[in-house]
Amino acid sequence: MTLVCEDGESVLKKTIAAVFYTLKARHISKVYVTDRRIVIKNRKNELIRISFAHVHEITVEDQYRLCIRCNTPQRFFHEREEYTRLYLHGLKKKEGGVIAPLEDPKWSESWRRYLNSLVKKYQAAVAQKKREMQNEEDELLFIEGIQRRANGLDPFAIVKTKEKLQIWFDDTELNACTLYATNEHLLVKIKSSDYLVVPYSVIYTTAPVEKERFCITFSFPQEIEGFSQPLSKMYIKRIPVPDEQYPKKVQERWIEGWQEFFNQVTSAFKAHKGAISHDEMLEMLIEMKHSPTKYSLSAYAKQGWDRACALAVDRFGGMDDLYLFQTFLLKEYEDMKNRAMAEPDNARQEAYLGSEMAYNSILAYINQHTRAR
């Protein structure tokens, strides 16, 4: 096999090992180590790629097993289940070409030291980059303002969501307009050949306001053709469906969905530039309890989700070390996964699964928002 490397990436070492994540099945695999990641290929040509950014810790268990613990649950090879731990056991060739396990503690210990040194070097470089980005003087960047144009979606635009809404710009109501949220901006279709383009970079804050409206505040007043004065805010309001059930609950989920969306698309313009603060982390943990994902679960799973979020908030409240907090979350995730598999009672099993999903979501958020951009 010739490993396909990224630009500037180089293979440093390779070996053959028995790779497994459950005790039931072991895969004889080729293991490649580069300066950025670990790549594993089994006999079915299935691949596992683990970036050093996703490695939480590397340890040795039972003398011979090398354990790589990831900081978020992942699918290994073509498994449907997600796991946080991946094990490697050294192999050797005996007479006749028979492959047998290598019962040598020196193999696992030497690989542990070697991989740990690479991971620490990689993560230290990422941390240094974060510090440099945080300490550098803020530059005045050119930010494109809101534009009015005759053409709509670009040929290669990725539409994340589309909805017909009531829309205001300050006090000017545009009545019912179609709003497209793409990967780069909001596109308001006023009428045929008349569009307003709102780049995400001009969005300062977003929040629900009175009369079930959602307010988008701009970073600076926007001069827009056709409007007599500069505009500072945009409002959107959902158009209810006739005879819909549970309108209040639908409205709450609508607001939560848009708030979560704006949090994602504007995260690149945050002042912390990729390094999450303690207060932001605590705020996320509190908001996670009301994630839209929870409302698609069963009643028992919702209870499990709420318990996991409450425990995470309680534990993080007096903790400053993010590594130790991740260790706690990984332990709880693995514990919930094991309990769900062994629990005969359906209600408790659903509750454990709900907790497992909540911990997974929190770990994914940490991994996404603490890496350098």
Side-chain angles (χ1 to χ4, degrees):
M1 167 191 171
T2 301
L3 181 65
V4 178
C5 295
E6 299 173 354
D7 291 341
E9 184 182 21
S10 57
V11 176
L12 304 177
K13 202 170 184 179
K14 57 186 178 181
T15 188
I16 296 178
V19 177
F20 56 102
Y21 30 88
T22 68
L23 295 175
K24 295 180 180 179
R26 302 194 178 200
H27 307 267
I28 298 176
S29 308
K30 293 181 180 179
V31 181
Y32 296 83
V33 179
T34 76
D35 53 348
R36 301 178 188 176
R37 56 183 175 160
I38 301 168
V39 182
I40 301 169
K41 181 183 179 185
N42 66 11
R43 288 177 166 179
K44 296 180 181 179
N45 290 327
E46 298 171 337
L47 291 173
I48 299 174
R49 299 181 180 91
I50 303 176
S51 168
F52 291 152
H54 294 158
V55 175
H56 184 71
E57 63 181 354
I58 300 176
T59 57
V60 174
E61 296 187 6
D62 298 334
Q63 289 189 296
Y64 311 124
R65 295 189 300 178
L66 182 71
C67 175
I68 302 172
R69 197 179 191 192
C70 301
N71 54 26
T72 54
Q74 299 187 37
R75 287 184 174 88
F76 299 133
F77 295 137
H78 288 165
E79 277 287 317
R80 293 184 179 179
E81 291 287 328
E82 292 184 331
Y83 302 91
T84 57
R85 295 174 184 260
L86 186 71
Y87 297 95
L88 275 67
H89 195 138
L91 298 175
K92 64 178 180 181
K93 271 192 177 182
K94 299 176 70 175
E95 292 184 6
V98 177
I99 296 177
L102 179 63
E103 305 297 336
D104 183 1
K106 292 182 180 179
W107 182 91
S108 52
E109 181 59 29
S110 64
W111 274 94
R112 183 193 68 81
R113 290 196 302 267
Y114 177 68
L115 291 177
N116 265 327
S117 66
L118 294 177
V119 170
K120 288 180 180 178
K121 181 179 178 181
Y122 179 88
Q123 294 183 351
V126 172
Q128 177 63 27
K129 183 178 179 182
K130 284 183 184 178
R131 286 192 291 270
E132 290 173 356
M133 292 173 69
Q134 288 175 300
N135 295 332
E136 70 184 4
E137 294 183 4
D138 291 334
E139 298 179 4
L140 291 176
L141 302 176
F142 174 76
I143 300 178
E144 183 184 8
I146 298 176
Q147 296 179 352
R148 192 166 194 162
R149 69 187 192 191
N151 56 312
L153 292 170
D154 297 326
F156 302 104
I158 300 173
V159 178
K160 295 179 177 291
T161 185
K162 167 190 171 184
E163 190 173 358
K164 194 159 190 175
L165 303 167
Q166 286 183 272
I167 296 178
W168 294 258
F169 280 88
D170 283 351
D171 296 327
T172 304
E173 184 176 359
L174 302 180
N175 295 319
C177 302
T178 303
L179 179 67
Y180 299 86
T182 75
N183 57 325
E184 296 179 348
H185 52 241
L186 297 176
L187 184 70
V188 182
K189 181 180 180 181
I190 302 175
K191 58 184 180 180
S192 179
S193 301
D194 192 3
Y195 299 86
L196 291 176
V197 181
V198 183
Y200 296 135
S201 58
V202 306
I203 296 176
Y204 182 65
T205 58
T206 57
V209 291
E210 79 291 342
K211 297 181 181 178
E212 301 179 332
R213 294 196 300 176
F214 197 87
C215 178
I216 302 163
T217 304
F218 306 134
S219 301
F220 53 92
Q222 301 291 314
E223 299 276 357
I224 307 174
E225 180 186 349
F227 293 86
S228 59
Q229 295 180 347
L231 305 178
S232 59
K233 294 182 179 180
M234 172 182 172
Y235 299 90
I236 60 175
K237 183 178 180 181
R238 178 176 170 271
I239 300 175
V241 178
D243 301 324
E244 66 183 5
Q245 292 184 328
Y246 312 110
K248 289 186 178 180
K249 182 62 68 175
V250 173
Q251 177 67 20
E252 288 176 7
R253 293 187 184 179
W254 179 82
I255 288 177
E256 288 174 357
W258 276 106
Q259 185 64 72
E260 184 176 3
F261 173 78
F262 283 120
N263 288 342
Q264 292 175 355
V265 298
T266 60
S267 62
F269 309 105
K270 297 286 187 181
H272 58 71
K273 298 177 183 175
I276 189 169
S277 69
H278 186 279
D279 290 343
E280 286 174 317
M281 183 69 196
L282 192 58
E283 182 182 354
M284 179 280 296
L285 292 173
I286 295 171
E287 290 180 352
M288 187 64 74
K289 185 176 180 181
H290 305 289
S291 169
T293 303
K294 183 183 81 169
Y295 297 104
S296 63
L297 305 178
S298 67
Y300 293 112
K302 288 178 184 175
Q303 293 176 15
W305 181 289
D306 288 341
R307 281 198 295 269
C309 292
L311 185 59
V313 170
D314 182 65
R315 179 59 63 96
F316 187 73
M319 183 180 291
D320 293 324
D321 192 322
L322 190 59
Y323 176 84
L324 293 179
F325 183 58
Q326 281 185 286
T327 302
F328 161 75
L329 294 174
L330 286 167
K331 180 179 179 299
E332 289 297 313
Y333 172 84
E334 292 169 341
D335 189 30
M336 292 301 109
K337 191 176 188 67
N338 293 334
R339 288 189 183 186
M341 292 175 63
E343 179 58 57
D345 182 73
N346 289 336
R348 288 185 177 181
Q349 186 181 63
E350 289 181 18
Y352 291 144
L353 289 172
S355 295
E356 177 189 327
M357 290 180 66
Y359 287 127
N360 192 343
S361 297
I362 295 171
L363 286 165
Y365 180 94
I366 294 174
N367 187 54
Q368 178 183 358
H369 288 78
T370 57
R371 63 172 180 256
R373 292 190 176 91

